[in-house]
Amino acid sequence: LTNFDKSVRICDLYIAKYKILVNNSLSKPGLCFIIIPTEVFKRLSSIPYRNNLHFNLRRYLKAQLIAIPGAIPVQIILEDTILGTKKSLQDLSMQAWNFVVANYYKSGATPWTLTMKDKHTCFIGVSFHKVHNSENNLVRSSIAQAFNFEGKGIVFIGKPFEWDVKKMNTPAPHLTYEYAKNLISQVIEEYKVFNRNIPPNRVVIHKTTDFWNSSINANYAEVEGLKDGIRHVLGEDIVIDLVTIKSSNIKLLRRDGKYPVIRGTMLPLDQQTGVLYTTGYIPYYETFPGVHIPHPLDVSIYEGESTLRNVCDEIMALTKLNFNNCNYYDSLPITIRFAQKVGEIIQYADEDAKLPNKYYFYM
């Protein structure tokens, strides 16, 4: 057997037992823990695959498990972690905190919430990933994630579409009017149900690439599609902010002190664009809790009614809603950060798989 075949067969064993647990338990559990032996993980966790790709056992296993009807959240644990022999930069207390908080969230609870005055804003992150199980390298799929102020989120995976980098002269995919409208309409509809049938009065969309409207490219009028889709569900009175968040090349320095720029520093370049430090020195702790030089973000309001200060305040708040680690903050808001995790999992899902919309399934 090849290493690939061995990996798949091992996953099949886990899947078979998982199905028994989900379908035949007298009292259905709310969470499933799966322990992967050290030798299995060392040899088969990541192996070369077709088209210069690597097959990831953990991501494949999780993608197959969450697609099973009646699936429950899964926590995959390495044997080394249980035995306390895993080499890690984190001490045992941090590992324990990560483990407890993540599984508390997976059980449907809320570890903490934001103290935001406006509790009726829906924060949405739109991102893209390549469909690796397709023979066509042009195929992409969209991921839209919606969160409320409590950090509770849903995931909506859009239909695959083609994006020709050479033809379009940019590697960043954009959406057609109809695709954008249908995607955002379905996200808002699901969000309303998820949010106890309370519709938002404001929608903020975060994107890591520029927004295109009909004047830039008539075939990819995603701005008009997003706005029309939101208003189709929520009406004309809804407030909409379209925000681009990118890595910045601008660096700021402190005049005094041995530590870097204070976390939360914002340099406005004009009324709609600015540089924001989501990492950096924290006065409360009198230190910078990091090992790398803080890297700022470029924040740009493409269109909206909110001020740059308010948009940046919300981004700062959303960096503290990553329940998947115990760090004081994340460098990116959850609207952007979680997209990477979701994309890692769904690229291993079958094309016709019906995946759950709750984010904690992908953690």
Side-chain angles (χ1 to χ4, degrees), residues 163-308:
W163 183 260
D164 193 322
V165 173
K166 293 181 179 179
K167 180 180 177 182
M168 303 306 300
N169 199 30
T170 175
H174 293 272
L175 304 175
T176 63
Y177 172 86
E178 288 297 333
Y179 190 108
K181 181 179 180 180
N182 291 335
L183 175 71
I184 208 71
S185 295
Q186 293 179 69
V187 171
I188 297 295
E189 289 283 10
E190 289 194 24
Y191 176 86
K192 284 170 56 181
V193 176
F194 167 78
N195 198 46
R196 300 183 292 274
N197 289 318
I198 302 174
N201 54 26
R202 175 170 170 258
V203 175
V204 179
I205 297 181
H206 290 163
K207 203 164 169 277
T208 54
T209 56
D210 295 327
F211 287 91
W212 278 9
N213 60 19
S214 56
S215 64
I216 297 175
N217 191 311
N219 295 323
Y220 292 91
E222 57 188 3
V223 169
E224 289 87 346
L226 292 170
K227 293 195 298 183
D228 288 351
I230 293 170
R231 288 169 178 154
H232 173 73
V233 179
L234 299 175
E236 294 294 324
D237 294 334
I238 188 73
V239 176
I240 301 172
D241 289 321
L242 305 180
V243 181
T244 298
I245 301 174
K246 297 180 179 180
S247 178
S248 179
N249 292 322
I250 298 177
K251 301 292 190 298
L252 302 180
L253 301 175
R254 295 184 70 180
R255 279 187 181 175
D256 304 307
K258 58 183 179 180
Y259 289 106
V261 173
I262 296 175
R263 166 176 148 85
T265 299
M266 191 265 284
L267 169 67
L269 301 177
D270 56 41
Q271 287 189 334
Q272 293 181 301
T273 59
V275 176
L276 175 66
Y277 271 82
T278 54
T279 62
Y281 175 76
I282 301 175
Y284 181 81
Y285 290 115
E286 298 183 351
T287 189
F288 164 51
V291 294
H292 302 290
I293 297 174
H295 197 90
L297 302 174
D298 278 332
V299 179
S300 176
I301 303 174
Y302 175 83
E303 186 176 324
E305 300 179 28
S306 300
T307 64
L308 179 64

Side-chain angles (χ1 to χ4, degrees), residues 94-128:
M94 293 180 70
Q95 292 180 40
W97 176 267
N98 278 342
F99 180 82
V100 171
V101 171
N103 290 292
Y104 183 67
Y105 181 61
K106 288 181 181 182
S107 68
T110 304
W112 58 81
T113 63
L114 300 178
T115 56
M116 300 177 71
K117 295 179 181 178
D118 180 10
K119 292 180 169 54
H120 297 290
T121 293
C122 172
F123 298 97
I124 298 177
V126 177
S127 57
F128 307 95

